[in-house]
Amino acid sequence: MPLAAPDLDAAFEACRRETAEWAKTFYLGTLLLPPAKRRAIWAIYVWCRRTDELMDSPEAQSRPVAELAERLDRWEEKTRALFNGTVENDLDAVMVDTLERFPQDIQPYLDMIEGQRMDLTWTRYPRFDDLKLYCYRVAGTVGLMTQGVMGVDGAYTSAPWSDRPDTSDAAVALGIANQLTNILRDVGEDRGRGRIYLPLEDLERFGYSEDDLMAGRLNSAWCELMQFQLKRARDWFARSEAGVRWLSRDARWPVWTSLRLYRGILDAIERVDYDVFNNRAYVGKVSKLLDLPRSFVLAQAR
């Protein structure tokens, strides 16, 4: 049964608090959206976080692979039921409400679960194509989940002869760019879990070994490797920009803000001389506030 309106409001508020706590840069962008859209984005974020926690929470790290695989299977079953309107808890309720207001396809949700399944067996990525598939599944899918919430500017669809622009490629590109940024920021943290997400073909190309990475060695090879990775991430951000102009007027500023602030993490990595083993790169509060008017100006142009 759906929750009563006051309880639904409380459930959305819980999603807001969780988004604010765990995704500060992303959360700032959501505050620029109209209320209905921001609530939907918070619900989707929390669903994605729950999916990620099945594999990456401290508790999950101590569980055997077979148990984690079973969890993912159960989560997939629950997700399929969710799309059929089944409500068992508050998160189900806000997700069903979101899907009713902003209808979307289940496939990106199932693809994200497949991305978590990759973490069951993949601790290394031989080629960038392998990593790109992972990035699509765990982050590019978020772009597909949220593009229906953001909507398309009526200026592109109001005329009878208009073709509705497809924002999917740009939405996926932004998700991939964000995930590549996460990977570069979290190299030190991931090695502590025995994981290397940087493509092994790139390590070989720049003469930087797995042992070097696990030891956190800072040398010229590491700097050159990271410069290459940062350029790749920025290229994916650039791909995503083309689709922002098609978004509805009330979504362009939030998306530009999130894009620019997240891309700023790459600049922060450069400021610590690529030492992501001993530093966490982030965009400071002052920088975030100063960027808001710049993103607003960009958002006015189609």
Side-chain angles (χ1 to χ4, degrees):
M1 295 290 294
L3 295 182
D7 292 333
L8 193 61
D9 288 343
F12 273 114
E13 171 59 18
C15 290
R16 183 201 68 77
R17 290 196 302 268
E18 187 164 339
T19 306
E21 179 179 359
W22 295 102
K24 292 179 174 58
T25 298
F26 175 75
Y27 176 69
L28 178 60
T30 68
L31 292 179
L32 304 175
L33 287 166
K37 290 186 177 183
R38 77 175 68 142
R39 280 160 56 112
I41 297 299
W42 295 334
I44 292 171
Y45 169 80
V46 173
W47 183 91
C48 293
R49 178 168 166 77
R50 292 290 179 276
T51 305
D52 183 71
E53 286 176 335
L54 294 173
M55 286 294 301
D56 284 345
S57 68
E59 182 270 341
Q61 298 300 308
S62 63
R63 300 297 181 180
V65 169
E67 181 178 335
L68 296 175
E70 184 179 348
R71 285 183 178 184
L72 291 170
D73 290 343
R74 289 199 303 268
W75 189 247
E76 180 177 336
E77 292 174 5
K78 182 175 176 60
T79 300
R80 291 182 184 276
L82 177 66
F83 271 76
N84 287 324
T86 301
V87 174
E88 297 178 353
N89 55 39
D90 286 2
L91 179 56
D92 293 344
V94 296
M95 282 300 299
V96 167
D97 183 81
T98 294
L99 294 171
E100 288 175 351
R101 293 172 184 271
F102 305 99
Q104 53 188 285
D105 191 87
I106 192 176
Q107 194 58 51
Y109 293 82
L110 300 180
D111 287 345
M112 176 172 280
I113 295 170
E114 283 301 314
Q116 299 302 319
R117 287 194 175 105
M118 290 180 73
D119 271 336
L120 291 172
T121 55
W122 290 66
T123 60
R124 303 290 188 277
Y125 288 80
R127 302 172 303 138
F128 178 67
D129 282 348
D130 302 315
L131 181 62
K132 183 170 70 172
L133 174 61
Y134 175 76
C135 289
Y136 158 72
R137 286 177 170 172
V138 301
T141 50
V142 179
L144 298 180
M145 295 171 190
T146 57
Q147 65 177 348
V149 178
M150 299 301 179
V152 172
D153 191 334
Y156 294 104
T157 59
S158 56
W161 57 85
S162 297
D163 290 327
R164 185 181 182 87
D166 186 355
T167 59
S168 298
D169 287 346
V172 169
L174 181 55
I176 290 176
N178 287 342
Q179 186 62 23
L180 291 174
T181 301
N182 288 340
I183 287 169
L184 297 175
R185 180 194 62 195
D186 297 339
V187 168
E189 179 181 330
D190 289 332
R191 68 169 176 157
R193 299 184 297 164
R195 296 185 179 277
I196 297 177
Y197 286 100
L198 301 184
L200 298 184
E201 65 181 2
D202 294 344
L203 269 66
E204 181 178 357
R205 173 181 175 181
F206 289 96
Y208 193 79
S209 69
E210 290 186 41
D211 289 342
D212 289 334
L213 192 150
M214 287 301 185
R217 293 193 179 95
L218 299 170
N219 53 30
S220 59
W222 172 250
C223 292
E224 292 172 6
L225 171 63
M226 286 294 282
Q227 288 165 5
F228 177 79
Q229 302 300 326
L230 265 64
K231 181 182 184 304
R232 173 183 281 157
R234 286 179 172 130
D235 287 346
W236 279 96
F237 277 116
R239 293 187 195 190
S240 73
E241 291 180 7
V244 180
R245 64 188 177 91
W246 290 328
L247 296 178
S248 61
R249 292 183 62 86
D250 59 17
R252 287 200 296 270
W253 187 20
V255 173
W256 266 119
T257 298
S258 295
L259 186 158
R260 287 172 55 83
L261 292 181
Y262 224 83
R263 185 168 55 192
I265 295 173
L266 301 176
D267 299 331
I269 291 173
E270 290 176 331
R271 287 196 293 272
V272 297
D273 295 326
Y274 313 108
D275 183 7
V276 290
F277 300 108
N278 301 299
N279 300 279
R280 183 171 180 82
Y282 65 95
V283 178
K285 291 182 181 178
V286 173
S287 296
K288 290 178 181 179
L289 293 174
L290 289 175
D291 196 78
L292 287 174
R294 298 167 188 160
S295 296
F296 179 78
V297 171
L298 285 171
Q300 305 316 300
R302 289 196 182 94

